[in-house]
Amino acid sequence: RSPGRLRPGGRHPPPPSHRDHPALRRGHHPRRRGCRPASPVQEGPRMTSTTTAPGTAPAHKDPVEDRVGESLPARMLRVLLTERVAALALLTVMLVAVFMFVKKAEDIIPYTIVMSVITLINFLASFVWIKREVKFVRVHAKDMMKMMSPLFAVLLIANANMLYTYLDQIFLSKIGIVENVTYYVTGYNIATLLARVVSGAVSVSVPRLGYYLGIGDRKAYQDLVNKGSQAFFFFLVPICVGLASVGIPVTLLYGGEKYFFAGMCTVLFAIRTIGWALEIIFGTQVILVNGYEERLTILYFVGGGINLLLNSVLFFTGVTAPEYYIITTMAAEIVLLLLEYVFIRNMELVQVKPILHMLKKYIVLSLGFVPIAFVVNHFVPYRQVVDKQLLLNIGLTVISSVV
């Protein structure tokens, strides 16, 4: 139909639009000699990863995402690996320095100097690392005074061990039997050696949990607590139950014949570490992150007061065995866990049943290590010496438990 012919009704057809050209549909005009290329046709804003559809809430940008667009899981993994590698390197330097400068039991001053220098290097290296990742800002005195109360509460929380394990050591030292303190410390060091490495995975999730609470996403917060608890219990509970099964031979291998009687302390501390793991979830990831650090401090002092009372009863009744002081600490920590559980339920901070269900599941699965250790001890017994029989006993127990 020619453009000049009338349509029915006497109206002319509309002129052809410039958008009907195939090239223009792609957003550009064809080049003509002596003419500048036309600008692309603007068809409204495009939807990108940072824009949202009309009528929807804007997406929250991850506050921990850095300048190069590094995702939070990758950043957490990088920071955790860097921290562990640096800690391992510093621990290696410490062990080499101890073997070089500490030759006999009387070398207390060289040992103190080595430990002080290593601690200073640790603080300086941490400062340099933090300075690279976090920029310092000016804080006014008025704002600082507002933060003194929560900072003081965090200070008390960081030193809460003074009312638990350190208090036990003080009572044992007052008894006058040096070997009991040594047995206590040896069992504590063995049990917490691997537990503290695993607990780093829980610590790095605290900023993410605070972020979810800050934006009001309770579902994401609950999911992250459940996932962190599951990963924590998956690694820690089998380690603790397995260590409780082979605590005596492992202590004998760790310290030699002189520390054989510290084996029962290692067993008790391995069992106690399971409750310590649950307390980290309740205290750090739930109560502290939700902003109840003052209430958490009060709960810590209540549990510490119970431990002080029980230790005093043991001390004045003439009980000298370190195992009983570990049991009193475990009893005080059970009371602390019950108080934290009641507080979390009353304040409706998080659903506790999934956490307890995961803990119970991994404990039940790990109890299979106990009969394995019993059978190995029956057929491959060990003596109070470090020999091939002891190594065979530990090796068979570990391999059978893994299989």
Side-chain angles (χ1 to χ4, degrees), residues 160-169 184-185 187-193 195-196 232-233 236-237 239-241 243-244 264-280 300 303-304 307 322-323 325-334 336-337 359 363:
N161 268 343
M162 294 296 296
L163 298 174
Y164 295 91
T165 54
Y166 289 143
L167 185 64
D168 295 344
Q169 298 176 38
Y184 186 98
V185 175
Y188 176 80
N189 291 336
I190 295 175
T192 57
L193 183 63
R196 295 193 179 278
F232 193 29
F233 295 149
L236 189 63
V237 173
I239 291 175
C240 294
V241 177
L243 182 60
M264 187 53 63
C265 294
T266 304
V267 173
L268 292 175
F269 271 119
I271 299 174
R272 177 247 180 191
T273 305
I274 299 177
W276 171 78
L278 183 60
E279 198 283 321
I280 287 181
Y300 279 159
N307 188 42
E323 293 83 0
Y325 289 87
I326 301 175
I327 294 174
T328 58
T329 302
M330 294 171 61
E333 290 177 341
I334 291 174
L336 173 63
L337 287 173
L359 177 61
I363 290 177

Short mmCIF file of all heavy atoms in Angstrom, two decimals, residues 160-169 184-185 187-193 195-196 232-233 236-237 239-241 243-244 264-280 300 303-304 307 322-323 325-334 336-337 359 363:
data_model
loop_
_atom_site.label_atom_id
_atom_site.label_comp_id
_atom_site.label_asym_id
_atom_site.label_seq_id
_atom_site.Cartn_x
_atom_site.Cartn_y
_atom_site.Cartn_z
N ALA A 160 36.91 -14.39 82.29
CA ALA A 160 36.01 -15.22 83.09
C ALA A 160 36.69 -16.51 83.54
O ALA A 160 36.26 -17.13 84.52
CB ALA A 160 34.74 -15.54 82.30
N ASN A 161 37.74 -16.95 82.82
CA ASN A 161 38.44 -18.17 83.23
C ASN A 161 39.08 -18.06 84.61
O ASN A 161 39.41 -19.07 85.23
CB ASN A 161 39.52 -18.53 82.20
CG ASN A 161 38.99 -19.46 81.14
OD1 ASN A 161 37.95 -20.08 81.31
ND2 ASN A 161 39.70 -19.57 80.03
N MET A 162 39.28 -16.84 85.08
CA MET A 162 39.85 -16.66 86.41
C MET A 162 38.97 -17.29 87.49
O MET A 162 39.45 -17.66 88.56
CB MET A 162 40.03 -15.17 86.70
CG MET A 162 41.05 -14.48 85.82
SD MET A 162 42.72 -15.12 86.05
CE MET A 162 43.03 -14.66 87.74
N LEU A 163 37.67 -17.43 87.21
CA LEU A 163 36.74 -18.00 88.19
C LEU A 163 36.52 -19.49 87.96
O LEU A 163 35.72 -20.10 88.70
CB LEU A 163 35.40 -17.27 88.12
CG LEU A 163 35.44 -15.78 88.47
CD1 LEU A 163 34.07 -15.15 88.21
CD2 LEU A 163 35.84 -15.59 89.91
N TYR A 164 37.19 -20.07 86.99
CA TYR A 164 36.97 -21.48 86.69
C TYR A 164 38.29 -22.25 86.75
O TYR A 164 38.70 -22.69 87.82
CB TYR A 164 36.28 -21.62 85.33
CG TYR A 164 34.88 -21.02 85.32
CD1 TYR A 164 34.68 -19.68 84.96
CD2 TYR A 164 33.78 -21.76 85.70
CE1 TYR A 164 33.41 -19.12 84.96
CE2 TYR A 164 32.51 -21.22 85.72
CZ TYR A 164 32.33 -19.89 85.36
OH TYR A 164 31.07 -19.33 85.38
N THR A 165 38.97 -22.42 85.64
CA THR A 165 40.18 -23.25 85.64
C THR A 165 41.32 -22.60 86.42
O THR A 165 42.04 -23.29 87.15
CB THR A 165 40.63 -23.51 84.19
OG1 THR A 165 40.76 -22.26 83.50
CG2 THR A 165 39.60 -24.36 83.47
N TYR A 166 41.49 -21.29 86.30
CA TYR A 166 42.56 -20.64 87.05
C TYR A 166 42.30 -20.68 88.55
O TYR A 166 43.23 -20.80 89.36
CB TYR A 166 42.71 -19.19 86.60
CG TYR A 166 43.31 -19.05 85.21
CD1 TYR A 166 42.89 -18.06 84.33
CD2 TYR A 166 44.31 -19.91 84.79
CE1 TYR A 166 43.42 -17.95 83.07
CE2 TYR A 166 44.85 -19.81 83.53
CZ TYR A 166 44.41 -18.82 82.67
OH TYR A 166 44.95 -18.72 81.42
N LEU A 167 41.04 -20.60 88.93
CA LEU A 167 40.70 -20.71 90.36
C LEU A 167 41.04 -22.10 90.89
O LEU A 167 41.53 -22.23 92.03
CB LEU A 167 39.22 -20.42 90.55
CG LEU A 167 38.72 -20.36 92.00
CD1 LEU A 167 39.38 -19.21 92.74
CD2 LEU A 167 37.20 -20.21 92.04
N ASP A 168 40.82 -23.13 90.09
CA ASP A 168 41.22 -24.47 90.49
C ASP A 168 42.73 -24.56 90.72
O ASP A 168 43.19 -25.17 91.70
CB ASP A 168 40.80 -25.48 89.42
CG ASP A 168 39.29 -25.57 89.28
OD1 ASP A 168 38.58 -25.10 90.19
OD2 ASP A 168 38.84 -26.11 88.26
N GLN A 169 43.49 -23.96 89.84
CA GLN A 169 44.95 -24.01 89.98
C GLN A 169 45.41 -23.26 91.24
O GLN A 169 46.37 -23.68 91.90
CB GLN A 169 45.60 -23.41 88.74
CG GLN A 169 45.29 -24.17 87.46
CD GLN A 169 45.87 -23.50 86.23
OE1 GLN A 169 46.97 -22.95 86.26
NE2 GLN A 169 45.15 -23.54 85.12
N TYR A 184 47.09 -31.17 86.58
CA TYR A 184 45.93 -30.39 86.17
C TYR A 184 46.24 -29.61 84.89
O TYR A 184 45.46 -29.65 83.91
CB TYR A 184 45.53 -29.44 87.29
CG TYR A 184 44.26 -28.67 87.05
CD1 TYR A 184 43.05 -29.10 87.60
CD2 TYR A 184 44.25 -27.51 86.29
CE1 TYR A 184 41.87 -28.39 87.39
CE2 TYR A 184 43.08 -26.81 86.07
CZ TYR A 184 41.90 -27.24 86.62
OH TYR A 184 40.74 -26.54 86.41
N VAL A 185 47.36 -28.91 84.87
CA VAL A 185 47.73 -28.08 83.71
C VAL A 185 48.01 -28.94 82.48
O VAL A 185 47.64 -28.58 81.35
CB VAL A 185 48.93 -27.19 84.06
CG1 VAL A 185 49.39 -26.40 82.83
CG2 VAL A 185 48.58 -26.23 85.18
N GLY A 187 46.72 -31.94 81.70
CA GLY A 187 45.45 -32.40 81.14
C GLY A 187 44.69 -31.29 80.44
O GLY A 187 44.09 -31.49 79.37
N TYR A 188 44.73 -30.11 81.02
CA TYR A 188 44.05 -28.96 80.42
C TYR A 188 44.67 -28.59 79.08
O TYR A 188 43.96 -28.33 78.09
CB TYR A 188 44.11 -27.78 81.38
CG TYR A 188 43.53 -26.51 80.83
CD1 TYR A 188 42.16 -26.29 80.83
CD2 TYR A 188 44.35 -25.51 80.32
CE1 TYR A 188 41.61 -25.12 80.32
CE2 TYR A 188 43.82 -24.33 79.81
CZ TYR A 188 42.45 -24.15 79.82
OH TYR A 188 41.94 -22.99 79.31
N ASN A 189 45.99 -28.58 79.00
CA ASN A 189 46.66 -28.20 77.75
C ASN A 189 46.40 -29.21 76.64
O ASN A 189 46.18 -28.84 75.48
CB ASN A 189 48.17 -28.07 77.99
CG ASN A 189 48.51 -26.87 78.85
OD1 ASN A 189 47.76 -25.90 78.92
ND2 ASN A 189 49.65 -26.93 79.52
N ILE A 190 46.40 -30.48 76.97
CA ILE A 190 46.16 -31.50 75.94
C ILE A 190 44.73 -31.41 75.41
O ILE A 190 44.49 -31.48 74.20
CB ILE A 190 46.44 -32.91 76.52
CG1 ILE A 190 47.93 -33.05 76.87
CG2 ILE A 190 46.03 -33.99 75.52
CD1 ILE A 190 48.27 -34.36 77.55
N ALA A 191 43.78 -31.24 76.31
CA ALA A 191 42.38 -31.23 75.89
C ALA A 191 42.03 -30.00 75.08
O ALA A 191 41.19 -30.07 74.16
CB ALA A 191 41.47 -31.33 77.12
N THR A 192 42.62 -28.88 75.39
CA THR A 192 42.27 -27.63 74.70
C THR A 192 43.17 -27.32 73.51
O THR A 192 42.95 -26.32 72.83
CB THR A 192 42.34 -26.45 75.68
OG1 THR A 192 43.67 -26.37 76.25
CG2 THR A 192 41.34 -26.61 76.79
N LEU A 193 44.16 -28.18 73.26
CA LEU A 193 45.10 -27.91 72.17
C LEU A 193 44.39 -27.90 70.82
O LEU A 193 44.50 -26.94 70.04
CB LEU A 193 46.22 -28.96 72.18
CG LEU A 193 47.33 -28.79 71.13
CD1 LEU A 193 48.08 -27.49 71.37
CD2 LEU A 193 48.29 -29.97 71.17
N ALA A 195 40.99 -28.18 70.52
CA ALA A 195 39.68 -27.51 70.63
C ALA A 195 39.77 -26.04 70.26
O ALA A 195 38.87 -25.49 69.61
CB ALA A 195 39.14 -27.68 72.04
N ARG A 196 40.84 -25.38 70.64
CA ARG A 196 40.97 -23.95 70.35
C ARG A 196 41.22 -23.70 68.86
O ARG A 196 40.88 -22.63 68.35
CB ARG A 196 42.09 -23.34 71.19
CG ARG A 196 41.78 -23.37 72.68
CD ARG A 196 42.73 -22.51 73.47
NE ARG A 196 42.40 -22.54 74.89
CZ ARG A 196 41.45 -21.80 75.46
NH1 ARG A 196 40.73 -20.98 74.71
NH2 ARG A 196 41.20 -21.88 76.74
N PHE A 232 30.87 -26.89 64.05
CA PHE A 232 31.66 -26.90 65.27
C PHE A 232 31.56 -28.25 65.97
O PHE A 232 32.56 -28.86 66.35
CB PHE A 232 31.19 -25.78 66.18
CG PHE A 232 32.11 -25.48 67.33
CD1 PHE A 232 33.47 -25.70 67.25
CD2 PHE A 232 31.60 -24.99 68.52
CE1 PHE A 232 34.32 -25.43 68.30
CE2 PHE A 232 32.43 -24.71 69.59
CZ PHE A 232 33.80 -24.93 69.48
N PHE A 233 30.33 -28.74 66.14
CA PHE A 233 30.13 -30.02 66.82
C PHE A 233 30.64 -31.19 65.98
O PHE A 233 31.11 -32.19 66.52
CB PHE A 233 28.65 -30.23 67.13
CG PHE A 233 28.10 -29.23 68.13
CD1 PHE A 233 26.78 -28.83 68.08
CD2 PHE A 233 28.92 -28.70 69.11
CE1 PHE A 233 26.28 -27.92 68.99
CE2 PHE A 233 28.43 -27.77 70.03
CZ PHE A 233 27.10 -27.39 69.97
N LEU A 236 34.45 -31.05 66.74
CA LEU A 236 34.92 -31.02 68.12
C LEU A 236 34.45 -32.22 68.93
O LEU A 236 35.23 -32.80 69.71
CB LEU A 236 34.45 -29.73 68.80
CG LEU A 236 35.05 -29.48 70.18
CD1 LEU A 236 36.56 -29.33 70.08
CD2 LEU A 236 34.44 -28.23 70.80
N VAL A 237 33.19 -32.63 68.78
CA VAL A 237 32.66 -33.71 69.62
C VAL A 237 33.41 -35.03 69.38
O VAL A 237 33.81 -35.69 70.35
CB VAL A 237 31.15 -33.87 69.39
CG1 VAL A 237 30.62 -35.11 70.11
CG2 VAL A 237 30.41 -32.62 69.89
N ILE A 239 36.45 -35.38 68.41
CA ILE A 239 37.79 -35.20 68.98
C ILE A 239 37.75 -35.38 70.50
O ILE A 239 38.61 -36.06 71.09
CB ILE A 239 38.33 -33.81 68.61
CG1 ILE A 239 38.64 -33.74 67.12
CG2 ILE A 239 39.58 -33.48 69.41
CD1 ILE A 239 39.07 -32.36 66.65
N CYS A 240 36.76 -34.78 71.15
CA CYS A 240 36.67 -34.86 72.61
C CYS A 240 36.38 -36.28 73.09
O CYS A 240 37.01 -36.78 74.03
CB CYS A 240 35.61 -33.90 73.13
SG CYS A 240 35.98 -32.16 72.87
N VAL A 241 35.43 -36.95 72.44
CA VAL A 241 35.10 -38.32 72.85
C VAL A 241 36.27 -39.25 72.56
O VAL A 241 36.60 -40.14 73.38
CB VAL A 241 33.82 -38.78 72.13
CG1 VAL A 241 33.51 -40.24 72.48
CG2 VAL A 241 32.64 -37.90 72.51
N LEU A 243 39.45 -38.38 72.46
CA LEU A 243 40.50 -38.09 73.43
C LEU A 243 40.17 -38.66 74.80
O LEU A 243 41.06 -39.12 75.53
CB LEU A 243 40.73 -36.58 73.52
CG LEU A 243 41.84 -36.11 74.45
CD1 LEU A 243 43.18 -36.70 74.03
CD2 LEU A 243 41.92 -34.59 74.47
N ALA A 244 38.88 -38.63 75.17
CA ALA A 244 38.49 -39.23 76.44
C ALA A 244 38.72 -40.74 76.44
O ALA A 244 39.00 -41.34 77.48
CB ALA A 244 37.02 -38.93 76.73
N MET A 264 44.00 -39.14 83.85
CA MET A 264 42.60 -38.98 84.22
C MET A 264 42.17 -37.52 84.11
O MET A 264 41.01 -37.23 83.76
CB MET A 264 42.38 -39.49 85.63
CG MET A 264 40.91 -39.52 86.05
SD MET A 264 39.84 -40.42 84.88
CE MET A 264 40.53 -42.06 85.00
N CYS A 265 43.07 -36.59 84.38
CA CYS A 265 42.75 -35.17 84.17
C CYS A 265 42.47 -34.88 82.70
O CYS A 265 41.55 -34.11 82.36
CB CYS A 265 43.90 -34.30 84.67
SG CYS A 265 44.19 -34.37 86.46
N THR A 266 43.23 -35.51 81.81
CA THR A 266 42.99 -35.33 80.38
C THR A 266 41.63 -35.87 79.98
O THR A 266 40.90 -35.24 79.19
CB THR A 266 44.09 -36.04 79.57
OG1 THR A 266 45.38 -35.54 79.97
CG2 THR A 266 43.91 -35.82 78.09
N VAL A 267 41.26 -37.02 80.52
CA VAL A 267 39.95 -37.61 80.22
C VAL A 267 38.83 -36.67 80.67
O VAL A 267 37.88 -36.40 79.93
CB VAL A 267 39.82 -38.99 80.88
CG1 VAL A 267 38.41 -39.53 80.71
CG2 VAL A 267 40.84 -39.96 80.30
N LEU A 268 38.92 -36.15 81.90
CA LEU A 268 37.88 -35.26 82.41
C LEU A 268 37.82 -33.95 81.63
O LEU A 268 36.73 -33.44 81.34
CB LEU A 268 38.12 -34.99 83.90
CG LEU A 268 37.94 -36.19 84.83
CD1 LEU A 268 38.33 -35.81 86.26
CD2 LEU A 268 36.50 -36.68 84.79
N PHE A 269 38.96 -33.41 81.27
CA PHE A 269 38.96 -32.16 80.50
C PHE A 269 38.41 -32.38 79.09
O PHE A 269 37.80 -31.47 78.51
CB PHE A 269 40.36 -31.59 80.44
CG PHE A 269 40.69 -30.66 81.57
CD1 PHE A 269 41.72 -30.94 82.44
CD2 PHE A 269 39.95 -29.50 81.77
CE1 PHE A 269 42.02 -30.08 83.49
CE2 PHE A 269 40.23 -28.65 82.81
CZ PHE A 269 41.27 -28.93 83.68
N ALA A 270 38.64 -33.57 78.52
CA ALA A 270 38.07 -33.85 77.20
C ALA A 270 36.54 -33.86 77.27
O ALA A 270 35.86 -33.34 76.37
CB ALA A 270 38.59 -35.18 76.69
N ILE A 271 35.99 -34.45 78.33
CA ILE A 271 34.53 -34.43 78.50
C ILE A 271 34.04 -33.02 78.78
O ILE A 271 33.01 -32.58 78.25
CB ILE A 271 34.13 -35.38 79.65
CG1 ILE A 271 34.57 -36.82 79.32
CG2 ILE A 271 32.63 -35.32 79.91
CD1 ILE A 271 34.36 -37.79 80.45
N ARG A 272 34.79 -32.27 79.57
CA ARG A 272 34.40 -30.91 79.90
C ARG A 272 34.41 -30.00 78.67
O ARG A 272 33.63 -29.05 78.58
CB ARG A 272 35.35 -30.37 80.97
CG ARG A 272 35.11 -28.92 81.37
CD ARG A 272 36.27 -28.06 80.95
NE ARG A 272 36.08 -26.67 81.32
CZ ARG A 272 36.86 -25.69 80.88
NH1 ARG A 272 37.86 -25.96 80.05
NH2 ARG A 272 36.64 -24.44 81.24
N THR A 273 35.25 -30.29 77.68
CA THR A 273 35.36 -29.45 76.50
C THR A 273 34.07 -29.46 75.68
O THR A 273 33.76 -28.49 74.97
CB THR A 273 36.55 -29.91 75.64
OG1 THR A 273 37.73 -29.91 76.45
CG2 THR A 273 36.78 -28.98 74.47
N ILE A 274 33.30 -30.56 75.75
CA ILE A 274 32.03 -30.60 75.03
C ILE A 274 31.08 -29.54 75.57
O ILE A 274 30.43 -28.81 74.82
CB ILE A 274 31.40 -32.01 75.13
CG1 ILE A 274 32.34 -33.04 74.50
CG2 ILE A 274 30.03 -32.04 74.48
CD1 ILE A 274 31.85 -34.47 74.63
N GLY A 275 30.99 -29.43 76.90
CA GLY A 275 30.18 -28.36 77.49
C GLY A 275 30.74 -26.98 77.19
O GLY A 275 29.98 -26.02 77.01
N TRP A 276 32.06 -26.87 77.12
CA TRP A 276 32.69 -25.60 76.76
C TRP A 276 32.30 -25.18 75.35
O TRP A 276 32.06 -23.99 75.09
CB TRP A 276 34.20 -25.75 76.88
CG TRP A 276 34.99 -24.62 76.35
CD1 TRP A 276 35.22 -23.41 76.94
CD2 TRP A 276 35.69 -24.57 75.09
NE1 TRP A 276 36.01 -22.62 76.13
CE2 TRP A 276 36.32 -23.31 75.01
CE3 TRP A 276 35.85 -25.48 74.06
CZ2 TRP A 276 37.08 -22.94 73.91
CZ3 TRP A 276 36.63 -25.12 72.96
CH2 TRP A 276 37.22 -23.86 72.90
N ALA A 277 32.19 -26.14 74.43
CA ALA A 277 31.78 -25.83 73.06
C ALA A 277 30.34 -25.31 73.03
O ALA A 277 30.03 -24.33 72.33
CB ALA A 277 31.91 -27.07 72.18
N LEU A 278 29.46 -25.95 73.79
CA LEU A 278 28.08 -25.48 73.84
C LEU A 278 27.99 -24.10 74.47
O LEU A 278 27.16 -23.27 74.04
CB LEU A 278 27.22 -26.48 74.62
CG LEU A 278 25.72 -26.18 74.70
CD1 LEU A 278 25.12 -26.15 73.30
CD2 LEU A 278 25.02 -27.21 75.57
N GLU A 279 28.83 -23.82 75.45
CA GLU A 279 28.81 -22.51 76.07
C GLU A 279 29.29 -21.42 75.11
O GLU A 279 28.80 -20.28 75.17
CB GLU A 279 29.70 -22.52 77.33
CG GLU A 279 29.44 -21.38 78.30
CD GLU A 279 30.03 -20.07 77.83
OE1 GLU A 279 31.16 -20.09 77.28
OE2 GLU A 279 29.38 -19.03 78.02
N ILE A 280 30.19 -21.74 74.21
CA ILE A 280 30.62 -20.78 73.20
C ILE A 280 29.44 -20.40 72.30
O ILE A 280 29.24 -19.22 71.96
CB ILE A 280 31.79 -21.34 72.37
CG1 ILE A 280 33.07 -21.35 73.20
CG2 ILE A 280 32.01 -20.53 71.10
CD1 ILE A 280 34.27 -21.87 72.46
N TYR A 300 28.23 -15.41 84.18
CA TYR A 300 29.57 -15.93 84.40
C TYR A 300 29.97 -15.84 85.87
O TYR A 300 30.59 -16.76 86.43
CB TYR A 300 30.58 -15.17 83.54
CG TYR A 300 30.64 -15.63 82.10
CD1 TYR A 300 31.16 -14.80 81.11
CD2 TYR A 300 30.20 -16.88 81.72
CE1 TYR A 300 31.22 -15.21 79.80
CE2 TYR A 300 30.26 -17.30 80.43
CZ TYR A 300 30.77 -16.47 79.45
OH TYR A 300 30.82 -16.88 78.15
N GLY A 303 28.17 -18.58 87.92
CA GLY A 303 28.85 -19.87 87.78
C GLY A 303 30.20 -19.89 88.48
O GLY A 303 30.57 -20.88 89.13
N GLY A 304 30.95 -18.78 88.38
CA GLY A 304 32.24 -18.71 89.07
C GLY A 304 32.07 -18.73 90.58
O GLY A 304 32.90 -19.32 91.30
N ASN A 307 31.59 -22.29 91.60
CA ASN A 307 32.88 -23.00 91.57
C ASN A 307 33.73 -22.63 92.77
O ASN A 307 34.40 -23.49 93.36
CB ASN A 307 33.61 -22.67 90.27
CG ASN A 307 34.85 -23.51 90.07
OD1 ASN A 307 34.85 -24.71 90.34
ND2 ASN A 307 35.93 -22.89 89.62
N PRO A 322 43.49 -33.52 91.96
CA PRO A 322 43.04 -32.51 90.99
C PRO A 322 41.78 -32.92 90.26
O PRO A 322 41.04 -32.06 89.75
CB PRO A 322 44.22 -32.37 90.04
CG PRO A 322 44.97 -33.66 90.16
CD PRO A 322 44.79 -34.10 91.57
N GLU A 323 41.50 -34.23 90.18
CA GLU A 323 40.30 -34.67 89.46
C GLU A 323 39.03 -34.12 90.10
O GLU A 323 38.07 -33.76 89.38
CB GLU A 323 40.23 -36.20 89.42
CG GLU A 323 41.32 -36.85 88.59
CD GLU A 323 42.63 -37.02 89.36
OE1 GLU A 323 42.66 -36.63 90.54
OE2 GLU A 323 43.60 -37.55 88.78
N TYR A 325 38.65 -31.27 91.65
CA TYR A 325 38.52 -29.85 91.32
C TYR A 325 38.04 -29.66 89.88
O TYR A 325 37.34 -28.69 89.58
CB TYR A 325 39.85 -29.14 91.54
CG TYR A 325 40.20 -29.01 93.01
CD1 TYR A 325 40.87 -30.02 93.69
CD2 TYR A 325 39.84 -27.87 93.72
CE1 TYR A 325 41.18 -29.92 95.03
CE2 TYR A 325 40.15 -27.75 95.07
CZ TYR A 325 40.81 -28.77 95.71
OH TYR A 325 41.10 -28.66 97.06
N ILE A 326 38.41 -30.58 88.99
CA ILE A 326 37.88 -30.51 87.63
C ILE A 326 36.38 -30.82 87.64
O ILE A 326 35.60 -30.17 86.93
CB ILE A 326 38.63 -31.51 86.72
CG1 ILE A 326 40.12 -31.19 86.69
CG2 ILE A 326 38.07 -31.47 85.30
CD1 ILE A 326 40.95 -32.20 85.92
N ILE A 327 35.96 -31.76 88.47
CA ILE A 327 34.55 -32.11 88.54
C ILE A 327 33.73 -30.94 89.08
O ILE A 327 32.62 -30.66 88.61
CB ILE A 327 34.36 -33.38 89.40
CG1 ILE A 327 35.00 -34.58 88.70
CG2 ILE A 327 32.89 -33.64 89.67
CD1 ILE A 327 35.00 -35.85 89.54
N THR A 328 34.26 -30.21 90.07
CA THR A 328 33.53 -29.05 90.58
C THR A 328 33.39 -27.96 89.51
O THR A 328 32.34 -27.31 89.41
CB THR A 328 34.23 -28.48 91.81
OG1 THR A 328 35.59 -28.12 91.47
CG2 THR A 328 34.27 -29.50 92.94
N THR A 329 34.43 -27.79 88.71
CA THR A 329 34.34 -26.82 87.62
C THR A 329 33.30 -27.24 86.59
O THR A 329 32.53 -26.40 86.08
CB THR A 329 35.72 -26.66 86.95
OG1 THR A 329 36.68 -26.25 87.92
CG2 THR A 329 35.67 -25.63 85.85
N MET A 330 33.26 -28.52 86.28
CA MET A 330 32.25 -29.02 85.35
C MET A 330 30.85 -28.80 85.91
O MET A 330 29.91 -28.44 85.16
CB MET A 330 32.49 -30.50 85.06
CG MET A 330 33.78 -30.78 84.31
SD MET A 330 34.19 -32.55 84.20
CE MET A 330 32.78 -33.16 83.31
N ALA A 331 30.67 -29.02 87.22
CA ALA A 331 29.35 -28.79 87.83
C ALA A 331 28.95 -27.33 87.74
O ALA A 331 27.80 -26.99 87.43
CB ALA A 331 29.37 -29.26 89.29
N ALA A 332 29.90 -26.41 88.00
CA ALA A 332 29.61 -24.98 87.91
C ALA A 332 29.28 -24.58 86.47
O ALA A 332 28.37 -23.76 86.23
CB ALA A 332 30.80 -24.17 88.42
N GLU A 333 29.96 -25.17 85.50
CA GLU A 333 29.68 -24.84 84.10
C GLU A 333 28.35 -25.42 83.63
O GLU A 333 27.69 -24.84 82.75
CB GLU A 333 30.82 -25.34 83.21
CG GLU A 333 32.11 -24.55 83.42
CD GLU A 333 33.26 -25.09 82.60
OE1 GLU A 333 33.19 -26.24 82.16
OE2 GLU A 333 34.24 -24.35 82.41
N ILE A 334 27.93 -26.54 84.21
CA ILE A 334 26.60 -27.06 83.89
C ILE A 334 25.53 -26.11 84.38
O ILE A 334 24.53 -25.83 83.68
CB ILE A 334 26.43 -28.47 84.50
CG1 ILE A 334 27.32 -29.48 83.77
CG2 ILE A 334 24.97 -28.91 84.43
CD1 ILE A 334 27.32 -30.86 84.39
N LEU A 336 25.94 -22.91 84.72
CA LEU A 336 26.04 -21.77 83.81
C LEU A 336 25.29 -22.04 82.51
O LEU A 336 24.56 -21.17 82.01
CB LEU A 336 27.51 -21.47 83.53
CG LEU A 336 27.80 -20.40 82.47
CD1 LEU A 336 27.26 -19.04 82.90
CD2 LEU A 336 29.30 -20.31 82.19
N LEU A 337 25.43 -23.24 81.95
CA LEU A 337 24.73 -23.58 80.73
C LEU A 337 23.21 -23.57 80.93
O LEU A 337 22.46 -23.12 80.05
CB LEU A 337 25.18 -24.95 80.22
CG LEU A 337 26.58 -25.02 79.60
CD1 LEU A 337 26.96 -26.46 79.31
CD2 LEU A 337 26.62 -24.21 78.32
N LEU A 359 24.00 -31.52 68.82
CA LEU A 359 24.97 -31.94 69.83
C LEU A 359 24.70 -33.37 70.28
O LEU A 359 25.64 -34.19 70.38
CB LEU A 359 24.93 -30.98 71.01
CG LEU A 359 25.84 -31.32 72.19
CD1 LEU A 359 27.30 -31.31 71.77
CD2 LEU A 359 25.63 -30.34 73.34
N ILE A 363 27.22 -36.68 69.75
CA ILE A 363 27.68 -37.41 70.94
C ILE A 363 27.35 -38.89 70.81
O ILE A 363 28.19 -39.77 71.10
CB ILE A 363 27.06 -36.80 72.21
CG1 ILE A 363 27.65 -35.42 72.49
CG2 ILE A 363 27.29 -37.72 73.40
CD1 ILE A 363 27.03 -34.73 73.70
#
